[in-house]
Amino acid sequence: MKSFFSDKKTIAALVIPGLAVMLFAIAIPLIISLALSFVRWDGIRPMQFIGFDNYIRLMRDSLFWRSLQNVALLILVTIFIQNTFAFFVASLLTKISHNVSQILRTIYFIPATLSLVVVTRLWVHLFHPVYGMLNTIIRSLGFENFDISWLGDTRTAIWAVIWIMIWQGFGWALLFYYGGLMTVPKEQEEAALVDGANKFQSLIFVTIPHMLPVIQSILIIGVISSLRQMEMIFLSTRGGPGGTTQFLALYLYQRAFQAMEFGYGNAISVVLVLIAILMTIIIRRIFKKALEHF
């Protein structure tokens, strides 16, 4: 076995296919996208090199900044609300009987198994101002004139869209946290309680340090998922009303494939990738320091 893996030809045969996939599926498209971000091109007429004009335009684009603001809002809601609630529910599921826990986990995970189209259309109908179930229930409680258009009102549209995303993604966060909590050594938790620690102290000094790699992975996935949100917005509001529900990935699609501004669309994609890389590095460094502290 040692001689098998020490053979350079064998190592090359095992490594080269993976490198080739990464090169053609990731590296080359990124390089092409970066190159196209410096041109003006509608897909028909010849490309025109314009340097950093697309990026200068991007910095002055209010809709781009609104898209970035909405992404930041979704990231904050995902981290501090969805993940906190998922962790709490997962911890409760570890303390009840296995059969009941299994049933509840299945119920919570059902939205994650549904198609994005099905989930979005379901909530579009539930949020409908006239025949939607939400407004119907509110009217039945005595508010006869209640007619908020949840997805059409600038005050509520972004929160309605974020709710759909959180509802659909909650099952994944719960599954990760539950799996991580099941690996926490019970002996360490019991030892902490015997030594005089209360349940909160046991959570902070035993459970969470053991869960840090899991939490780090969930946060990175959540950030990347927030950056690439497109389908749900496209199927529900298309970025409206007035751009209040615009997100980066959808704005990229609209500029590149609807307005036929491929150079500008690629500039947006480059910024999106850079933000994803930067956020991933920041999260990894924060958790690296946290792991060193514990």
Side-chain angles (χ1 to χ4, degrees):
M1 183 63 71
K2 183 178 180 180
S3 61
F4 178 80
F5 285 106
S6 62
D7 183 19
K8 293 182 179 180
K9 292 182 179 180
T10 302
I11 295 174
L14 294 172
V15 172
I16 288 176
L19 289 177
V21 171
M22 291 186 63
L23 180 66
F24 287 103
I26 300 176
I28 290 179
L30 285 176
I31 293 171
I32 293 174
S33 182
L34 179 62
L36 290 175
S37 70
F38 295 108
V39 304
R40 180 183 291 116
W41 186 41
D42 61 2
I44 301 174
R45 287 171 290 186
M47 296 181 187
Q48 179 184 357
F49 180 77
I50 59 173
F52 289 93
D53 285 3
N54 282 326
Y55 292 98
I56 295 172
R57 175 186 169 187
L58 200 61
M59 294 302 101
R60 300 171 178 171
D61 189 342
S62 60
L63 201 52
F64 165 77
W65 289 109
R66 186 56 183 261
S67 303
L68 193 59
Q69 177 184 328
N70 288 339
V71 168
L73 179 61
L74 178 59
I75 289 173
L76 291 174
V77 172
T78 300
I79 292 174
F80 294 106
I81 298 180
Q82 183 195 64
N83 282 289
T84 301
F85 188 59
F87 185 89
F88 175 74
V89 174
S91 64
L92 291 178
L93 292 177
T94 61
K95 294 176 172 59
I96 61 179
S97 68
H98 176 73
N99 291 336
V100 176
S101 173
Q102 190 173 33
I103 294 171
L104 291 176
R105 277 183 283 129
T106 301
I107 294 172
Y108 286 132
F109 195 69
I110 287 175
T113 65
L114 299 176
S115 164
L116 290 175
V117 177
V118 173
V119 170
T120 306
R121 298 313 302 171
L122 169 67
W123 280 102
V124 166
H125 286 292
L126 289 174
F127 283 137
H128 195 278
V130 179
Y131 59 78
M133 184 181 293
L134 182 58
N135 279 3
T136 301
I137 292 173
I138 294 175
R139 292 190 194 102
S140 68
L141 296 175
F143 301 92
E144 292 83 2
N145 297 323
F146 194 88
D147 60 351
I148 288 181
S149 178
W150 298 95
L151 291 169
D153 193 315
T154 55
R155 298 169 299 175
T156 58
I158 184 61
W159 297 109
V161 168
I162 288 177
W163 166 257
I164 298 173
M165 299 174 188
I166 295 298
W167 184 83
Q168 200 270 340
F170 177 78
W172 284 110
L174 176 66
L175 183 67
F176 278 112
Y177 280 126
Y178 181 82
L181 287 168
M182 292 301 290
T183 65
V184 177
K186 301 300 180 184
E187 298 81 7
Q188 293 184 12
E189 293 180 333
E190 293 171 357
L193 295 174
V194 170
D195 290 339
N198 55 40
K199 291 184 177 180
F200 179 76
Q201 291 171 327
S202 175
L203 173 68
I204 297 298
F205 296 105
V206 178
T207 305
I208 290 182
H210 187 85
M211 289 282 294
L212 284 178
V214 176
I215 297 173
Q216 174 185 276
S217 299
I218 295 173
L219 293 187
I220 291 175
I221 293 171
V223 167
I224 294 175
S225 176
S226 299
L227 286 167
R228 66 178 183 82
Q229 285 293 341
M230 182 260 182
E231 296 91 342
M232 283 188 176
I233 305 100
F234 182 81
L235 293 168
S236 57
T237 64
R238 303 207 172 196
T244 55
T245 62
Q246 190 65 265
F247 280 74
L248 279 178
L250 177 62
Y251 192 47
L252 187 162
Y253 169 80
Q254 291 173 337
R255 290 293 93 199
F257 298 103
Q258 293 184 342
M260 303 300 287
E261 296 178 339
F262 291 105
Y264 193 57
N266 277 282
I268 298 173
S269 72
V270 170
V271 172
L272 193 153
V273 171
L274 289 176
I275 293 173
I277 293 173
L278 179 62
M279 291 294 295
T280 301
I281 292 172
I282 292 173
I283 292 172
R284 287 178 63 86
R285 287 189 176 181
I286 290 173
F287 277 84
K288 183 179 179 181
K289 290 183 179 180
L291 285 168
E292 292 174 352
H293 175 73
F294 285 106

